[in-house]
């Protein structure tokens, strides 16, 4: 039998003597003792307000106040994690440090993430305590209503409220039922160690003897994240201090961080490079710059803040984030006079060298690094500094950029499909090390030196690794295998392309998105034919104004227009943030109106494939659907800032605006005289078409349900509330009847005539526990009821004798109103 060769392997020096028993919080305290009066963090809203600064002494003081509170109110025996539901701000470093000092692990929760994903993460981690930023309390309660019971405690002066969670009996795996888990980790791995050892003491003995890491080791964890879930079920990643600390210390050394440096926090908290950005600054006596998330979407404002106002010296970012600067790259970010000393790019394929050179101004001296790693092994694994002579060379050679050398304590291997060595050629990367171990999903004990499969393929040549692409970026098209990242690099190399991105839409169509430098960008496909084989030429070119931060995620800021007959993409429009609003179509002009979280409403001509106008709505993101009134000719738009706006649908000019005081998730609806809208303050507000407040009707809970104004019987108004009631009011705001449901009502009711008896008017409504109600619209008495096997947030629609509604178990149900039985189910695509 032939001897099996060991894979290509590279390992850095060990970490045992480099950082013995060191934790993130200990390293910050060491720096704070040396630099107590230096600026530790700056928060700049990039508006008329002056930036706010905290010194190291102030950061530690606020953190200690939080720690004392948590130690008093929380049961922190054994392993202990605390969720943190917030946006980045001046207090963020103190909040994280305060949790770590308990000691506990912090688990960041993104307020803008889909609630189903956050709920899955919280329940999978079994979080018992969650700290919520004070001005996000309503958003937190509304987004997760019905999943758990909670009690809360305000924390004076800290800006947080502690929620203690008592979970309902919910199987979180049902939230992602039907999703293929491509990670290789089973959903049913909970408590797997009990299959081997029933006795806990015996288990501990085994782990200590054989070199295992145990997630239950007291105070071992630093933080908990989840993967994006774009390739299957999101994975929970529990990260010990001993896994991430060497990463931060080594990068601090490679980047030569000093107290004079200013680092920008570019990454969201739920993306693990944020840990590096935060702590590489705070352990060095340096300053960390934080800006609001919306500013990161505005290249001109962001570049002015980073490189003119604050003179940032170190930037770690994804290539996509950097590309958003567009023309500012050469003139500001990488100019000769830039403050930027270190640029570290990671998280995606490194740009082609000729593209990187085109971004750099003459005489620019910024040091550029290529970082590579995966969340499953805590941020970065390798690092390579691009030689200055390569970046400054006038020669047009374009050699690939290596992934570089392993960081402290990290082992990197390259294996082929059989697990055999790859000494020269192509293979998959595996990452691990003695203590570079994270716990994935339900893992409790993991052997030391465990190697994690990355899904990334490289070519090994002369003991260097060169990135080829991910499994999911390798596609087969026209009978040929193609790496779509090669298409992106080829397009970026064209002189009239400022930046671009490529997607393999529904595994059928290759679409190239281009931010153009000039009008010649329309000839991009012709130009690509000179550089790419025929099978690599994209099917479609879409010109856009800016790229989203990342090509992954549920809400990518794009509006798709599909052909109704075949589902093929007709055209695509871009916005600057997530689009959760539904569109409305003008019956005369054919214009499409839609809102975005970028705080704009858009008017789109889908026939000419162009944007007609966009309007900044001032009062925050647009979550709900706009409503088009014909008489008068108004477009009504609601914002999460609590504003209701009337807009001229032809020009995009504001006609009037009025504030409801609290966020508006409900969509406005109109009668001949009035426009009505539900609000999270528990009221339905009624305005005249000239913007005057007419009346408001109060319920005992937030109103997410959009008012349904019937034209069948005297224009009554129907809506649901979180208080578990469905209401019917007249147009004067007086209650006609209310019906108590079995849980909260999110969805909009639907009024219809009985199929069997045209004189009878009925109302279809749903409650979140999965109950479908059919009521008599005049009296509120029950005419029929059906229970679906999952939660329901969908609004029902009735056509003839059939009622159609979506369910959280990923099915759409069609109910027969005549016999009140399910007739069929359709799997959602």
């Amino acid at each position: 039998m032939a001897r099996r060769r060991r894979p290509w392997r590279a390992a850095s020096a060990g970490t045992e003597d480099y950082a013995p028993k060191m934790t993130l919080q200990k390293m910050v305290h060491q720096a704070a003792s040396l630099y107590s009066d230096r600026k530790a963090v700056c928060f700049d809203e990039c508006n008329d307000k002056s930036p706010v600064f905290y010194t190291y002494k102030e950061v530690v003081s606020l953190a200690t106040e939080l720690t004392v509170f948590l130690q008093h109110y929380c049961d922190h025996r054994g392993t202990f994690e605390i969720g943190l539901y917030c946006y980045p701000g001046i207090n963020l470093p103190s909040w994280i440090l305060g949790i770590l000092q308990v000691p506990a692990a912090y688990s960041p929760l993104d307020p803008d993430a889909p609630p189903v994903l956050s709920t899955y993460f919280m329940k999978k981690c079994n979080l018992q305590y969650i700290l919520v930023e004070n001005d996000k309390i309503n958003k937190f309660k509304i987004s997760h209503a019905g999943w758990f019971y909670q009690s809360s405690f305000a924390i004076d002066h800290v800006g947080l409220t502690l929620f203690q969670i008592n979970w309902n009996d919910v199987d979180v795996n049902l939230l992602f039922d039907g999703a293929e888990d491509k990670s290789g980790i089973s959903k049913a791995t909970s408590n797997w160690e009990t299959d081997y050892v029933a006795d806990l003491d015996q288990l501990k003995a085994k782990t200590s003897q054989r070199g295992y890491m145990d997630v239950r080791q007291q105070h071992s964890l630093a933080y908990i994240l989840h993967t994006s879930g774009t390739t299957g079920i999101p994975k929970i990643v529990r990260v010990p201090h001993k896994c991430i600390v060497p990463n931060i210390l080594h990068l601090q050394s490679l980047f030569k961080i000093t107290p004079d440096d200013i680092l920008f926090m570019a990454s969201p908290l739920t993306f693990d490079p944020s840990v590096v950005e935060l702590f590489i600054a705070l352990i060095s006596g340096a300053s960390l710059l934080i800006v609001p998330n919306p500013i990161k979407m505005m290249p001109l404002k962001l570049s002015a803040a980073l490189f003119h106002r604050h003179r940032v010296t170190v930037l770690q970012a994804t290539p996509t984030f950097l590309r958003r600067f567009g023309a500012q790259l050469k003139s500001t970010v990488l100019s000769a006079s830039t403050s930027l000393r270190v640029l570290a790019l990671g998280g995606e394929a490194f740009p082609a060298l000729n593209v990187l050179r085109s971004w750099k101004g003459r005489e620019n001296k910024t040091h550029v690094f290529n970082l590579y790693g995966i969340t499953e092994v805590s941020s970065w694994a390798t690092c390579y500094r691009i030689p200055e002579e390569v970046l400054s060379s006038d020669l047009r050679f374009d050699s690939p950029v290596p992934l570089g050398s392993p960081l402290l304590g990290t082992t990197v291997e390259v294996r082929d499909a059989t697990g055999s060595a790859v000494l020269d050629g192509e293979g998959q990367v595996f990452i691990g090390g003695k203590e570079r171990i994270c716990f994935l999903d339900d893992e409790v004990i993991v052997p030391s030196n465990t190697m994690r499969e990355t899904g990334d393929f490289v070519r090994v040549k002369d003991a260097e690794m060169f990135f080829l692409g991910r499994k999911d970026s390798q596609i087969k098209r026209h009978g040929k295998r193609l790496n779509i990242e090669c298409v992106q690099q080829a397009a970026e190399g064209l002189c009239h392309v400022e930046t671009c991105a490529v997607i393999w839409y529904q595994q059928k169509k290759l679409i190239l998105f281009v931010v153009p430098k000039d009008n010649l960008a329309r000839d991009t496909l012709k130009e690509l034919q000179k550089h790419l084989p025929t099978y690599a030429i994209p099917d479609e070119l879409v010109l856009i104004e800016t790229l989203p931060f990342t090509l992954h995620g549920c809400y990518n800021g794009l509006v798709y227009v599909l052909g109704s007959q075949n589902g093929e993409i007709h055209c695509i429009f871009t916005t600057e943030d997530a689009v959760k609003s539904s569109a409305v179509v003008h019956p005369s002009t054919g214009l499409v109106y839609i809102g975005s979280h970028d705080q704009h409403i858009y008017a789109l001509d889908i026939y000419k494939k162009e944007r007609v106008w966009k309007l900044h709505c001032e009062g925050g993101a647009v979550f709900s659907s706009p409503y088009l009134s014909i008489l008068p000719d108004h477009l009504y738009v609601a914002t999460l800032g609590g504003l209701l706006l009337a807009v001229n649908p032809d020009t995009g000019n504001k006609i009037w605006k009025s504030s409801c005081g609290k966020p508006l998730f409900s969509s406005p609806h109109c009668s001949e005289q009035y426009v009505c809208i539900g609000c999270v303050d528990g009221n339905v507000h009624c305005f005249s078409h000239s913007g005057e407040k007419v009346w408001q009707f109060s319920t005992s809970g937030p109103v997410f349900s959009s008012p349904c104004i019937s034209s069948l019987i005297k224009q009554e108004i129907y809506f649901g509330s979180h208080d578990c009631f469905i209401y019917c009011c007249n147009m004067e705001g007086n209650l006609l009847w209310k019906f108590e449901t079995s849980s909260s009502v999110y969805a909009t009711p639907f009024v219809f005539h009985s199929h069997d008896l045209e004189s009878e008017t009925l109302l279809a409504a749903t409650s979140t526990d999965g109950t479908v109600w059919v009521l008599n619209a005049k009296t509120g008495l029950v005419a029929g009821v059906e229970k679906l096997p999952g939660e329901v947030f969908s609004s029902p629609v009735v056509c003839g004798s059939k009622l159609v509604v979506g369910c959280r178990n990923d099915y759409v149900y069609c109910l027969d109103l005549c016999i009140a039985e399910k007739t069929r189910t359709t799997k959602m695509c």
Side-chain angles (χ1 to χ4, degrees), residues 114-133:
V116 65
L117 178 60
S118 297
T119 301
Y120 175 84
F121 175 58
M122 291 188 291
K123 181 66 187 295
K124 196 74 173 175
C125 295
N126 195 30
L127 292 181
Q128 302 301 310
Y129 300 96
I130 298 174
L131 288 167
V132 179
E133 191 174 358

Side-chain angles (χ1 to χ4, degrees), residues 30 65 117 168 172-173 214 216 242 258 356 360 395 465 492 533 547 588 641 737 753 763:
Q30 288 178 355
E65 188 174 346
L117 178 60
N168 292 335
V172 292
N173 287 322
D214 191 330
R216 296 163 301 183
K242 62 175 63 176
T258 74
L356 186 60
K360 286 172 66 74
L395 298 175
M465 293 183 298
E492 274 188 328
L547 284 180
S588 300
W737 56 259
H753 276 310
L763 180 78

